Amino acid sequence: AVTAAVVLGGPGSGGASGAGGGRPDTAASGSPSVTTSSSATTSAPSPGEDASRVTDQLDGITMPVLAGWQKARYVTDDAVLITTPGTYDCPYDDGVCRRGTVAAQPVTSTDSTDPATLARKDVAVAAYRAYDTDVLGERPFGGITSHKVVSARQVAVAGRVGYLVRWRVRTAHGPGGYVESVVFRSGVGAEGLVVVRLTLDASRAAPPPTDLDRIVAGIWPMGATAGSGGVGSSIGPSD
């Protein structure tokens, strides 16, 4: 199986850029088979641009920048679109951490085209990279001690049917957090699959977990506006 080869952002060390996993295969039994492209870009601000939304031109989507979040700044991973503002000292290994991040990239080099299968595999990689071992081999939270699947369901994203999986992870140090992978088909180009990863500390200093639902529900195709039919919405019971 092909493992995920590109770091998507999450709370962790590495210049506040999000954690990355040096050994993502260990995140779950069996090797995750999702590989993501590293060429996602965030459009540069332009006059009249909506400051409340961020655009991912490669994947043809926009997403909301909620109160308590900001467009990504000073991150080394160009897939990261949104972060919580500021950083804090990681609770275990040296480094600075962020309370939350949102990243998006195309899914490539995988035999599966089933969003549910890909989301289940990707969330294991995302959790490992966000809360276990980073790209420098450090463990900002001392490693993951356990996880629980708190949501796994179909969801409409940018007008397309996708699949969402959310884990609640507990760590040896610090508050642990929530890690979510959402996989859906892009509305641009060859309409390949897109993965959006969301990570959020389970801390009173972090935004509420309901923000993750609000961000996913607010993912629109580029050019769409509220009321245009581009807004994603749950098509299954929320957990």
Side-chain angles (χ1 to χ4, degrees), residues 23-109:
R23 300 182 297 280
D25 286 8
T26 64
S29 59
S31 298
S33 59
V34 181
T35 300
T36 51
S37 166
S38 61
S39 57
T41 57
T42 304
S43 60
S46 59
E49 180 181 359
D50 185 354
S52 68
R53 301 192 66 82
V54 65
T55 300
D56 171 8
Q57 293 180 326
L58 180 63
D59 296 313
I61 56 174
T62 72
M63 60 181 68
V65 182
L66 304 179
W69 299 77
Q70 66 181 19
K71 293 185 180 183
R73 301 173 58 195
Y74 311 120
V75 297
T76 58
D77 185 350
D78 63 1
V80 178
L81 302 173
I82 303 170
T83 70
T84 49
T87 60
Y88 65 98
D89 291 337
C90 298
Y92 190 62
D93 280 346
D94 292 339
V96 289
C97 291
R98 292 187 185 275
R99 303 289 180 190
T101 63
V102 182
Q105 285 190 306
V107 176
T108 62
S109 302

